[in-house]
Amino acid sequence: MTRTGPEASFTSVEICAGAGGQAVGLHMAGFRHLALIEIDQDACATLRANVEKDSSWGDCKVINADLKKFKSDDLGLKPGQLDLLAGGVPCPPFSFAGKQLGADDERDLFPRMLEMVAELEPKAVMIENVRGLLEPEHKFAAYRSEIVEALEKMDYRICYWRVLEARDYGVPQLRPRAILVAMKAEYHRHFKWVEPQHAVVTVAAALRQSMRSRFQADGSAGWEKFYKNWLDQAKLGSVAPTLVGGSKKHGGADLGPTRAKEAWGKLGICGLGVANEPEEMTSPERDLYSPRGPKLTVRQAAIIQGFPKTWKFSGRKTAAYRQVGNAFPPPVAKAVGEQIFAALDAGKKELERRKAEDHGKEMLFDMTVPAPSGPPRSELVDSRRNLKRAKVR
């Protein structure tokens, strides 16, 4: 169930928010974001364009900052006041596609995340990263142990640290992500494992409407035939390979390495680049009618990532595509967020119940305490009557 507005009773601060994939999912799960912190200016523009115009996000602040230089005090929160601290810390230190330097990588922000946990003392912590952090088991085992030990010293209990596959949560894409959830002891026991919640959504089903709209908007003769050919090809496949956002150090946007492009080709999609949106298309031959099939637009890539259709991306095409490709799928964040929300809610109610019971015991104790010593009421009444009689005489 999606909770927003007044029903969103638990607060959240998110670091490394990117274009808002995790934030969108947690928002749908019921969390009221106080701040989204992100270093990339284009991503911050995306967050502002969506959050500041939507009243359901309340007074959520978008903060463009380098997390290593950011001060938790600037949030204006007292220790223990925040319900959830969440974030998708940079993945290159642990990615199979990188050098896997882990803690030796200058981009590793796990230490800063743990510092913020110590400074803010949230009731719950959620950290998302690539599967490589957990696989292979031996490579980062010692580093994972250090993270767990640090959290446990701060009185957190690990709910789980496992790999969730986006395909199992309604995302038409193979995208395994390592998810760590830790909670204060009084909430930990209420947390339940996140089970797969949806049947597989295929690329054909996810893109059917938008792809038809693109061909129809072009209006070239025979567009219906080209569209049908694409749909027939897409139906032969299932979900998409992992979207790759890449980095600013490399060239323009495409859909990944050779193996990924081949997988996209089997779905009728050309992976050699990203298409312009229909209203901006200047080369139908390149974007729609290539022998390799149509290219994806940024909006279609966002659909593959599980973003709602209303979420808009700022910046030029390549920058916008990178925001999408590097995002955490909102449906997965929503599924995990709902379990955290439920555990916080159950823990809060239990604490309130205990408090009420303790108050009731105090009241009962007060009622059973003997009254101050002194003569019985009957003796007081008799003495007053005798006094009146004496005055009359």
Side-chain angles (χ1 to χ4, degrees):
M1 180 179 71
T2 299
R3 309 177 187 89
T4 57
E7 294 184 8
S9 57
F10 294 113
T11 57
S12 174
V13 166
E14 185 168 335
I15 66 169
C16 307
Q22 186 169 246
V24 169
L26 293 177
H27 178 71
M28 295 173 68
F31 285 93
R32 178 169 60 86
H33 285 77
L34 302 178
L36 303 174
I37 306 169
E38 170 59 37
I39 191 172
D40 183 79
Q41 292 183 1
D42 288 322
C44 284
T46 291
L47 294 172
R48 291 190 182 100
N50 291 278
V51 169
E52 293 178 355
K53 296 180 180 179
D54 187 342
S55 61
S56 70
W57 287 79
D59 296 326
C60 175
K61 298 178 181 178
V62 176
I63 302 173
N64 185 193
D66 181 345
L67 197 66
K68 292 183 178 180
K69 300 177 181 178
F70 180 77
K71 297 181 180 179
S72 299
D73 290 343
D74 293 341
L75 294 170
L77 297 172
K78 297 178 181 178
Q81 186 177 357
L82 180 66
D83 294 309
L84 173 64
L85 177 63
V89 295
C91 63
F94 312 99
S95 174
F96 289 135
K99 296 180 180 180
Q100 291 194 307
L101 297 176
D104 296 326
D105 195 309
E106 64 180 8
R107 294 166 294 184
D108 178 27
L109 288 179
F110 266 101
R112 180 62 189 124
M113 177 67 156
L114 293 174
E115 287 177 357
M116 292 189 69
V117 172
E119 292 161 356
L120 294 171
E121 299 181 21
K123 300 175 181 67
V125 178
M126 175 182 174
I127 306 176
E128 174 264 337
N129 208 278
V130 292
R131 177 182 59 186
L133 181 58
L134 300 183
E135 301 175 0
E137 285 294 329
H138 67 278
K139 188 165 183 68
F140 298 120
Y143 191 48
R144 292 196 301 269
S145 296
E146 290 178 12
I147 294 171
V148 170
E149 183 179 350
L151 287 168
E152 289 179 341
K153 284 183 177 178
M154 291 185 280
D155 196 30
Y156 288 91
R157 301 293 180 267
I158 305 301
C159 297
Y160 70 85
W161 198 350
R162 304 185 189 180
V163 174
L164 296 188
E165 174 54 70
R167 174 185 56 184
D168 295 333
Y169 299 90
V171 180
Q173 179 190 179
L174 289 173
R175 196 175 188 85
R177 308 299 287 183
I179 311 297
L180 166 65
V181 174
M183 305 188 81
K184 287 289 188 179
E186 58 265 37
Y187 303 98
H188 166 264
R189 70 190 190 87
H190 297 287
F191 187 87
K192 297 181 180 179
W193 170 245
V194 184
E195 298 293 342
Q197 299 175 340
H198 298 278
V200 173
V201 177
T202 65
V203 169
L207 296 183
R208 184 170 188 161
Q209 182 179 349
S210 66
M211 196 66 81
R212 180 182 179 85
S213 296
R214 286 181 62 197
F215 277 103
Q216 190 171 14
D218 172 61
S220 298
W223 69 264
E224 295 97 334
K225 179 181 177 181
F226 283 98
Y227 165 69
K228 185 178 184 305
N229 289 342
W230 169 79
L231 184 60
D232 290 343
Q233 178 65 41
K235 285 181 177 179
L236 297 177
S238 181
V239 298
T242 303
L243 278 175
V244 180
S247 68
K248 294 181 179 180
K249 295 181 180 180
H250 299 88
D254 63 22
L255 301 187
T258 301
R259 194 171 181 178
K261 290 184 177 68
E262 291 175 352
W264 280 107
K266 293 178 180 179
L267 293 164
I269 301 293
C270 175
L272 296 178
V274 176
N276 292 322
E277 301 297 338
E279 62 270 21
E280 301 171 345
M281 186 171 60
T282 57
S283 178
E285 294 76 16
R286 181 183 70 86
D287 289 348
L288 273 177
Y289 300 107
S290 165
R292 297 174 180 267
K295 293 180 172 67
L296 290 183
T297 64
V298 171
R299 290 176 189 167
Q300 288 181 317
I303 292 173
I304 296 297
Q305 199 68 285
F307 276 94
K309 294 180 181 179
T310 55
W311 198 259
K312 302 183 184 301
F313 297 87
S314 300
R316 298 176 68 86
K317 181 176 68 177
T318 298
Y321 172 73
R322 284 182 179 141
Q323 293 174 49
V324 174
N326 289 326
F328 182 31
V332 184
K334 177 177 181 287
V336 179
E338 287 176 336
Q339 300 302 319
I340 297 174
F341 191 103
L344 289 172
D345 190 48
K348 178 182 178 182
K349 289 178 179 177
E350 182 178 56
L351 290 173
E352 290 175 346
R353 183 170 60 252
R354 288 180 179 177
K355 186 176 180 180
E357 290 175 352
D358 291 342
H359 181 67
K361 291 178 181 178
E362 291 178 1
M363 293 292 290
L364 182 62
F365 176 79
D366 290 341
M367 292 175 64
T368 56
V369 172
S373 59
R377 175 177 173 77
S378 58
E379 293 182 10
L380 289 173
V381 171
D382 290 341
S383 64
R384 289 170 184 166
R385 287 174 179 171
N386 293 334
L387 181 60
K388 288 181 179 179
R389 288 172 183 167
K391 289 181 178 180
V392 169
R393 291 175 184 172

